[in-house]
Amino acid sequence: MDYNSGGAANAGAADDKLADATGASGATIDQISDLSRQRYESFFAHNLDAVFTVDPSGNFTDANPQAEQLSGYTTAELRQKSFMQLCSPESLERAVERFKATLAGDIREISITMIRRDGRRVPLRLTGSAIVIAGKPAEVCVVARDLSQQLQVEQALKENELLFKGTFENAAVGIAHVAADGRFLRVNQKLCQITGYDLPELMAKTYQQITHADDVEADNDLARQLWAGQICSYSLEKRYIRKDGGTVWIGLTGTVHQDHEGRPEHFISVVQDITQRKQYERALLEARDDLERRVNERTIELQQRATQLARLAAQLTRAEQRERRRLAAVLHDDLQQLLVAARMHIQMLRQDESAPARRESLDAVYQIIGDAIDASRTLTHDLDPPVLHQAGLVPGLEWLVRTMSEKHRLTVMLNVDDEVRGLDEEISLLLFQAVRELLMNVVRHAQVTLADVRLDRPAPQQVSITVSDSGRGFQVQQALQDDNAGFGLFAIQERIALMGGKVDIWSKPDKGTRVTVIVPLSRKSQQGAPELSEGTNLPATNQAREAQAARQSGLITLLIVDDHAIMRQGLAMLLSGESDIRIVGEAADGEQAVQQARRLQPDIILMDYSMPVMNGTEATKIIRQELPQTRVIALSMFREADRAPEMLAAGAVAYVTKTGKNKALLNIIRNVFDGNGDGNADRDNPTVDQPSR
């Protein structure tokens, strides 16, 4: 650079000042000028920005390395050009005006677009200052800064801002910036839609004000932890109270925005409307509860049916034994007595020796009758061994062991656990019959003369009996599938299963057989239960809730009371088909009826007249005293005139015979429910007794 022709800005003034200071410093003018020149050249050459010098005509006079790199021209090439040649057409006019102003001493920045040597356009920010010598501008020193990267950053920021704004405003979820105290700083339109507020209204609220009161504490607690840095984010489900007063369920995810020093500035909340999902979940839970209720109902029903079958099995066993006793009694009390009497008469005739031939015939008849008496006596013991009822299972088994030895030449080794004592008659009969059947199988099929019987207690509430032999054995599955094979094992299994027990069978050909029968030790709870359920097979609380729901729905709630299960089933089948009637419970006697009525409070009770424990009259009196709103319709198999007044005097509103027509009973129920006393049934109908009231 030709320093003498240009020089730094205000170089003359600076040299004058430096000259004035020479006296104090002792430096010469030449030394000061050399220092000034070095400073200028250092500034010019090492400046990070591009530096040009331009004469008053606009021609380049010098350029530093950064200027060469920025323009693409060398300094020599630039000296052949004016700055106007490097300006873009749209920047030229403004650049000329600014250059003139700079020559006049005005120092300002200007942004222009420069066209590089390779044709690429570069945005610049220029700062120019005039170098004045002898009061006139000699050159303009221009500092140029490339704005390309800055503009790119700014453009990226703008694009990011637009992207953020677009994402924020058009998001399918609600988004909010929230202050530490809960004030909304910024919200999007989706959040406005969720809450029902418009933008200004929502901005005037806090999140606490629109959160359901039951959910505020949990939300505040999580927000405090998040602000304190104890957690990075949190999610919860809560409720908003909409502007219209409605409730909307939302899923909230909260994070915190921090400044460059890591201090929290505001919350960022993302809100999703989950009301529909909550409705689906509620519907699913209700469906699950309904399914569980139905499964429970079905399970209870199956349990009750199993109980019924067990009771039927027990009743069958008792009935069989009663029949055995009856036959034994007939044989003993009638047939045997007659035979004995006949034998006595024949014996008297035998004493008459006047007719030897007749005496010989009478001797034969006498012997036949004697054999018949012995056979009858043996059959009596086989049908119903008296020792089994008089002394119990163990003496009965001991008698059976002797009988098997005497009649079938089968030696039976009996082993009894001392703890197995005092079994009730039902279990004793069941086990005795099973052992007798199994020992007969040994006699018929095992081809052995020795068997073992063991009576034991495998558990505190169980008794077991095992019959084993070392005989021929058999294929278990085949024997169970073919009951005609004579083993009778399937029948034994079924009967034991109905009594709540089980049969374990092991056998292999030529390896012997072992059959173990296990039954519950006590069945008192099952014997004491009614043959059918006391209600609608629901747990007590659910049953009462169902009855209340039926009443609220306007249905006629009805309780059936009868000691005969078949009659209850028949009435239930008849009434369950009516859309306006709901059977809420059943009872097997008057005492159960009172308990069920207190718990279920039905509209109407169908009350049997004759029942065990407590009859219908007494039950009706108690129910009418305690539950005057519950009406009782009396049921009976009898038509005697004295039955109806007794029930009506106890509080019944109608008296119906069980043998009547179904339609008449339905009419009575509906008329009584409607408040018409004993109803408007046809008085000529013989199934309904309607004394005057």
Side-chain angles (χ1 to χ4, degrees):
M1 178 177 180
D2 188 357
Y3 179 77
N4 293 326
S5 62
N10 300 318
D15 288 344
D16 292 341
K17 292 181 179 179
L18 287 172
D20 292 339
T22 56
S25 63
T28 65
I29 294 297
D30 291 339
Q31 289 175 331
I32 294 174
S33 296
D34 185 58
L35 177 61
S36 178
R37 184 182 301 109
Q38 290 180 19
R39 289 175 178 170
Y40 178 80
E41 289 178 350
S42 177
F43 162 78
F44 189 82
H46 302 297
N47 199 315
L48 296 178
D49 292 323
V51 180
F52 302 89
T53 56
V54 184
D55 63 21
S57 298
N59 299 315
F60 289 105
T61 59
D62 206 350
N64 69 352
Q66 286 75 15
E68 291 180 340
Q69 183 179 358
L70 180 63
S71 65
Y73 295 100
T74 65
T75 301
E77 290 172 334
L78 285 173
R79 287 173 176 165
Q80 304 300 318
K81 296 181 177 295
S82 67
F83 79 87
M84 284 80 79
Q85 292 177 286
L86 270 62
C87 288
S88 65
E90 66 272 16
S91 304
L92 182 58
E93 184 177 352
R94 287 185 296 108
V96 172
E97 290 180 358
R98 177 93 301 269
F99 183 71
K100 292 179 180 179
T102 301
L103 288 174
D106 187 8
I107 301 176
R108 290 186 190 176
E109 288 186 347
I110 182 175
S111 296
I112 66 167
T113 301
M114 180 185 72
I115 300 178
R116 282 171 47 88
R117 181 175 185 174
D118 57 11
R120 184 163 62 88
R121 300 165 68 89
V122 181
L124 301 177
R125 175 170 293 128
L126 305 180
T127 303
S129 60
I131 299 174
V132 180
I133 299 176
K136 293 182 179 181
E139 284 184 335
V140 174
C141 181
V142 179
V143 179
R145 179 166 295 177
D146 186 353
L147 300 180
S148 300
Q149 187 174 3
Q150 179 179 342
L151 292 177
Q152 290 174 356
V153 172
E154 291 177 354
Q155 181 64 27
L157 289 174
K158 289 181 180 178
E159 292 175 355
N160 288 338
E161 176 66 21
L162 291 174
L163 180 62
F164 169 77
K165 186 175 182 180
T167 302
F168 190 89
E169 294 298 334
N170 301 318
V173 294
I175 304 176
H177 292 172
V178 184
D181 59 2
R183 290 177 296 106
F184 288 109
L185 304 176
R186 184 174 185 176
V187 298
N188 68 350
Q189 189 59 37
K190 183 64 178 179
L191 187 58
C192 293
Q193 294 176 7
I194 293 173
T195 61
Y197 291 98
D198 58 28
L199 184 61
E201 292 173 330
L202 190 56
M203 291 296 291
K205 300 283 186 180
T206 65
Y207 77 79
Q208 293 93 337
Q209 290 175 320
I210 66 171
T211 297
H212 192 284
D214 294 342
D215 301 333
V216 171
E217 183 177 354
D219 201 357
N220 282 341
D221 183 59
L222 289 171
R224 283 191 294 267
Q225 295 180 51
L226 181 61
W227 193 264
Q230 297 172 351
I231 56 177
C232 298
S233 64
Y234 71 88
S235 298
L236 83 159
E237 295 179 356
K238 68 171 187 175
R239 289 158 291 180
Y240 275 157
I241 304 301
R242 289 172 48 86
K243 180 181 178 180
D244 58 12
T247 300
V248 57
W249 273 97
I250 60 118
L252 172 68
T253 300
T255 57
V256 68
H257 176 72
Q258 299 176 336
D259 61 17
H260 65 281
E261 295 182 357
R263 292 173 298 192
E265 286 191 337
H266 58 262
F267 294 109
I268 300 175
S269 298
V270 178
V271 177
Q272 184 175 9
D273 186 347
I274 60 172
T275 302
Q276 190 175 41
R277 193 198 80 195
K278 282 290 188 179
Q279 292 172 347
Y280 289 154
E281 288 177 354
R282 188 181 307 112
L284 184 61
L285 288 174
E286 291 174 354
R288 186 196 67 182
D289 291 342
D290 182 65
L291 178 61
E292 289 181 353
R293 179 181 63 81
R294 292 175 182 270
V295 170
N296 288 336
E297 290 175 1
R298 186 59 177 166
T299 301
I300 294 172
E301 181 181 355
L302 291 174
Q303 292 173 345
Q304 291 168 344
R305 293 295 180 264
T307 301
Q308 285 181 269
L309 291 174
R311 296 200 61 203
L312 288 174
Q315 291 172 3
L316 178 61
T317 301
R318 290 194 294 270
E320 179 183 347
Q321 192 62 29
R322 284 196 300 269
E323 188 62 18
R324 288 174 179 271
R325 287 184 181 180
R326 188 185 69 81
L327 290 174
V330 170
L331 290 172
H332 180 270
D333 297 336
D334 296 332
L335 180 59
Q336 291 180 28
Q337 302 300 327
L338 291 173
L339 290 172
V340 169
R343 190 176 184 184
M344 291 174 62
H345 284 287
I346 291 174
Q347 186 175 7
M348 287 187 293
L349 289 174
R350 288 177 64 217
Q351 295 174 356
D352 185 357
E353 299 180 355
S354 60
R358 185 177 62 180
R359 187 173 184 277
E360 183 177 347
S361 298
L362 289 175
D363 285 343
V365 173
Y366 182 84
Q367 183 62 41
I368 293 171
I369 293 176
D371 292 342
I373 292 173
D374 291 339
S376 173
R377 184 178 295 109
T378 300
L379 179 60
T380 299
H381 282 79
D382 287 345
L383 286 173
D384 186 32
V387 66
L388 181 64
H389 304 285
Q390 297 169 2
L393 177 61
V394 174
L397 291 175
E398 292 172 345
W399 172 87
L400 180 60
V401 166
R402 292 192 299 271
T403 301
M404 298 304 295
S405 176
E406 294 169 359
K407 295 183 63 174
H408 303 288
R409 296 184 179 180
L410 177 67
T411 301
V412 180
M413 305 301 295
L414 178 63
N415 297 286
V416 178
D417 188 338
D418 292 337
E419 294 185 5
V420 183
R421 302 290 177 182
L423 300 180
D424 59 53
E425 186 177 11
E426 182 179 317
I427 293 179
S428 297
L429 289 173
L430 180 67
L431 293 177
F432 178 85
Q433 293 173 6
V435 171
R436 181 164 58 183
E437 182 70 22
L438 292 171
L439 289 177
M440 289 305 300
N441 281 342
V442 174
V443 172
R444 297 188 188 108
H445 308 289
Q447 296 182 356
V448 294
T449 59
L450 179 65
D452 290 308
V453 175
R454 180 172 184 81
L455 185 63
D456 207 346
R457 289 267 306 263
Q461 296 300 320
Q462 289 181 337
V463 61
S464 71
I465 195 160
T466 301
V467 178
S468 59
D469 66 78
S470 57
R472 292 177 58 189
F474 56 90
Q475 295 291 344
V476 175
Q477 292 301 321
Q478 181 180 353
L480 290 176
Q481 294 171 1
D482 184 12
D483 199 44
N484 294 325
F487 289 76
L489 294 175
F490 179 79
I492 294 175
Q493 273 193 325
E494 290 299 302
R495 179 170 293 187
I496 296 299
L498 290 175
M499 294 294 290
K502 64 179 181 178
V503 178
D504 180 25
I505 304 173
W506 178 90
S507 183
K508 288 185 179 181
D510 300 324
K511 297 293 184 180
T513 302
R514 182 179 64 251
V515 181
T516 301
V517 177
I518 303 175
V519 295
L521 185 59
S522 174
R523 297 188 51 81
K524 294 181 180 179
S525 60
Q526 294 180 353
Q527 292 174 355
E531 294 182 5
L532 288 179
S533 66
E534 293 184 10
T536 57
N537 302 334
L538 291 174
T541 55
N542 290 347
Q543 190 179 354
R545 193 180 302 116
E546 289 283 338
Q548 183 180 5
R551 286 194 299 274
Q552 293 174 348
S553 300
L555 299 177
I556 303 173
T557 56
L558 192 141
L559 173 67
I560 299 175
V561 183
D562 199 296
D563 61 327
H564 294 286
I566 295 177
M567 177 58 66
R568 294 203 304 273
Q569 289 178 337
L571 289 171
M573 291 178 63
L574 166 66
L575 300 173
S576 62
E578 301 298 315
S579 60
D580 59 338
I581 297 175
R582 176 67 57 82
I583 299 173
V584 297
E586 297 175 6
D589 56 56
E591 188 172 279
Q592 292 180 10
V594 173
Q595 295 173 356
Q596 290 280 63
R598 289 168 177 164
R599 182 161 54 86
L600 301 176
Q601 300 185 12
D603 296 314
I604 294 175
I605 298 177
L606 295 182
M607 181 75 74
D608 188 18
Y609 173 86
S610 178
M611 292 182 296
V613 183
M614 180 188 293
N615 62 30
T617 303
E618 293 299 320
T620 300
K621 289 180 181 178
I622 295 173
I623 291 171
R624 291 295 292 167
Q625 289 174 357
E626 296 184 7
L627 303 168
Q629 75 280 5
T630 297
R631 284 151 287 185
V632 178
I633 298 176
L635 292 175
S636 178
M637 289 291 294
F638 304 97
R639 292 183 47 81
E640 289 86 357
D642 60 331
R643 298 292 177 93
E646 183 179 353
M647 287 295 290
L648 295 173
V653 297
Y655 183 91
V656 183
T657 59
K658 297 179 181 179
T659 58
K661 296 180 180 179
N662 297 340
K663 184 176 180 181
L665 177 60
L666 291 171
N667 288 337
I668 285 288
I669 291 172
R670 292 188 174 105
N671 288 332
V672 167
F673 178 76
D674 291 335
N676 296 324
D678 56 359
N680 297 319
D682 185 1
R683 292 182 178 272
D684 295 329
N685 189 326
T687 67
V688 181
D689 290 314
Q690 297 177 344
S692 59
R693 300 296 306 273

